[in-house]
Amino acid sequence: MKNIASYDVVSKYYSYAVEYYKDTDDEIQWLPICAIPQTIIANKTLFDQYGIKVPENYEEYVQVCQQFYDKGIKPYSMDLAEDWSNQEIIQAAAIGEFTSLDGIDWRNKAETSAGEIKFDDVLWKRIFSETSQFLKDSHFSKEDINVNINTGTQMFVEGKSAMFHGQPTDMQKLQDQMDAELIRIPYFSQTSDSSFVYMFPSLNIAFNKELEKNKEKLDTALDVLDCMISEQGQKLIADGSGVISLNTDVPSMMQNVPGLEEEIKDTSIYIRYSAQKSFDASLEAVHGLLSGKMDEMQAYNAFRSAMNSKDSKEKSTVNFENEYSILLTDTTKSILKKINPKCAIEQIGDTTLSSAWIAAMSNGQQPSAPEDYIEVEK
């Protein structure tokens, strides 16, 4: 991949947005487009009912969890049957480690590695120690392994748990179902008083190194990237709903999420690490800890092994004898029909990548690859 750190487009990004994308040589191979914030969602009405103070640091978070637990209310219902929540657990629990110089250095090397990912044992032993501590402090147990998105959500809606997690769109859906005041709580570092809004990019972009050989193609690629990070481009890519623009030239896109912009000013930003294998690896490690089948060291070893396992899954292919329903522009659709007349393609109406993603999430899924947006009819 091509290093794009020296190009003018990088100067348009907020500094925190590119911090996690620089390697030790200050090279940048990937750039995010825009980001979707994820926080803890708390039932403030329940907090007030029991006279429990909203936490402002990790120590207070632990106290809150213990207070609710003592009153017979689950402190935090999280959908730990889903792989993405297990991935979030590890990074949110040890967010101070992932944002440290060692954490950023490991991440950059991992994201640019063409082969086996090297692990910093000292760093990752701390990460799994803090993950284990977070699970205990939050009063998660082996029963939580079976809590899926529907069960976790329902517990929160019914007031059986005090906290859940999600994006602004999730919070709005929950608010519509509940006669309670909901607020956002950031993720707290266990190693300092820092708090973080946990974000994941709606899309990451990399340039092929071969573009160095053709200035015209490189200029075109930069023009396309410039269009993608424009206000119009971001709204087309992510629907502009509860999305944080990483481009300093773009005005706020969070008008429909009251208070979020102000909250972000008072906290740090963490953009998650989301290598495809980290989802399965996180699920195996966290479930191992919760079930009691693994201690911290065994969970770390399982995570590291899964991250470096060979991919045995079959690659997704398109069979043009099948019928597909896929996200396409009209231009792309017409080109495909000319190239492959036998391929019957049905365009999903009024759909963006963001709305397709949200629709999948509502069914308890988290798409992680382009083929996840394709519906195949045999």
Side-chain angles (χ1 to χ4, degrees):
M1 290 179 289
K2 181 173 177 55
N3 173 27
I4 51 181
S6 62
Y7 291 100
D8 290 341
V9 68
V10 176
S11 66
K12 295 183 179 182
Y13 280 76
Y14 288 105
S15 57
Y16 71 77
V18 295
E19 177 183 2
Y20 298 104
Y21 290 82
K22 286 184 178 179
D23 62 21
T24 51
D25 297 322
D26 281 342
E27 292 189 352
I28 299 174
Q29 276 82 34
W30 293 91
L31 275 177
I33 298 301
C34 47
I36 302 171
Q38 178 102 342
T39 61
I40 296 172
I41 301 171
N43 184 337
K44 178 66 163 51
T45 301
L46 204 60
F47 275 72
D48 292 343
Q49 179 182 337
Y50 289 99
I52 297 176
K53 178 179 177 292
V54 175
E56 296 181 0
N57 54 48
Y58 189 77
E59 183 180 356
E60 291 182 2
Y61 169 80
V62 175
Q63 293 171 355
V64 163
C65 289
Q66 187 63 53
Q67 288 174 299
F68 276 116
Y69 182 79
D70 290 342
K71 296 180 184 303
I73 297 172
K74 190 169 183 59
Y76 192 174
S77 61
M78 199 168 181
D79 43 340
L80 291 178
E82 321 293 357
D83 58 3
W84 65 82
S85 288
N86 290 275
Q87 190 219 41
E88 182 182 321
I89 278 281
I90 292 176
Q91 294 184 61
I95 204 162
E97 303 295 349
F98 280 97
T99 56
S100 69
L101 292 177
D102 288 345
I104 294 173
D105 182 43
W106 174 85
R107 173 176 172 162
N108 286 326
K109 289 177 180 176
E111 288 183 331
T112 56
S113 174
E116 181 179 345
I117 296 174
K118 304 295 183 183
F119 279 80
D120 179 339
D121 286 345
V122 175
L123 169 70
W124 276 90
K125 286 176 183 176
R126 293 200 304 267
I127 287 173
F128 271 93
S129 174
E130 291 173 31
T131 298
S132 177
Q133 190 63 49
F134 179 80
L135 293 172
K136 293 173 184 174
D137 291 338
S138 304
H139 293 275
F140 289 119
S141 65
K142 62 182 180 181
E143 284 74 24
D144 287 288
I145 291 173
N146 300 314
V147 176
N148 59 26
I149 182 71
N150 295 326
T151 303
T153 302
Q154 196 60 33
M155 290 175 67
F156 183 70
V157 169
E158 294 176 357
K160 295 178 180 178
S161 65
M163 293 176 282
F164 193 55
H165 69 139
Q167 309 161 34
T169 49
D170 298 322
M171 184 171 173
Q172 186 57 56
K173 288 178 181 178
L174 291 168
Q175 186 66 80
D176 292 342
Q177 299 176 60
M178 300 173 67
D179 183 20
E181 178 188 358
L182 303 185
I183 59 172
R184 285 175 290 269
I185 297 177
Y187 294 96
F188 303 113
S189 168
Q190 294 189 42
T191 57
S192 71
D193 284 334
S194 299
S195 57
F196 297 84
V197 172
Y198 180 98
M199 297 201 301
F200 46 96
S202 55
L203 191 66
N204 281 326
I205 292 294
F207 282 1
N208 191 313
K209 195 172 178 64
E210 292 296 309
L211 288 174
E212 293 176 345
K213 301 176 182 179
N214 190 317
K215 186 178 184 304
E216 184 178 354
K217 287 185 177 180
L218 175 59
D219 289 343
T220 301
L222 287 167
D223 286 343
V224 170
L225 177 56
D226 208 40
C227 288
M228 294 176 79
I229 66 172
S230 68
E231 182 176 7
Q232 183 180 6
Q234 290 183 54
K235 286 183 175 179
L236 287 171
I237 290 168
D239 210 20
S241 180
V243 172
I244 297 173
S245 172
L246 305 177
N247 182 355
T248 58
D249 294 338
V250 174
S252 172
M253 297 169 65
M254 295 180 286
Q255 296 91 339
N256 60 332
V257 190
L260 179 59
E261 190 168 13
E262 193 62 36
E263 291 167 28
I264 288 175
K265 292 179 182 177
D266 299 329
T267 58
S268 300
I269 298 295
Y270 172 70
I271 298 179
R272 77 173 184 184
Y273 170 72
S274 55
Q276 182 57 41
K277 287 186 178 180
S278 66
F279 292 93
D280 288 340
S282 298
L283 186 144
E284 181 178 355
V286 172
H287 282 200
L289 288 170
L290 286 173
S291 66
K293 294 178 180 178
M294 296 181 189
D295 58 22
E296 294 168 14
M297 193 63 193
Q298 289 170 322
Y300 164 46
N301 287 335
F303 181 89
R304 181 179 56 189
S305 177
M307 287 292 291
N308 282 316
S309 63
K310 291 184 178 180
D311 191 357
S312 61
K313 295 181 179 179
E314 293 183 7
K315 299 296 182 182
S316 298
T317 58
V318 176
N319 184 335
F320 290 107
E321 294 180 358
N322 294 334
E323 182 174 324
Y324 293 84
S325 180
I326 183 174
L327 299 174
L328 296 172
T329 64
D330 289 340
T331 301
T332 307
K333 180 179 174 182
S334 64
I335 291 172
L336 277 177
K337 283 194 171 183
K338 287 179 181 178
I339 296 173
N340 298 286
K342 294 181 180 179
C343 182
I345 302 171
E346 179 187 350
Q347 172 69 21
I348 301 174
D350 299 323
T351 307
T352 64
L353 286 178
S354 176
S355 58
W357 193 92
I358 292 170
M361 279 289 287
S362 67
N363 293 325
Q365 302 170 312
Q366 182 171 13
S368 53
E371 58 267 21
D372 290 331
Y373 299 109
I374 301 173
E375 299 172 357
V376 181
E377 295 180 6
K378 297 290 185 181

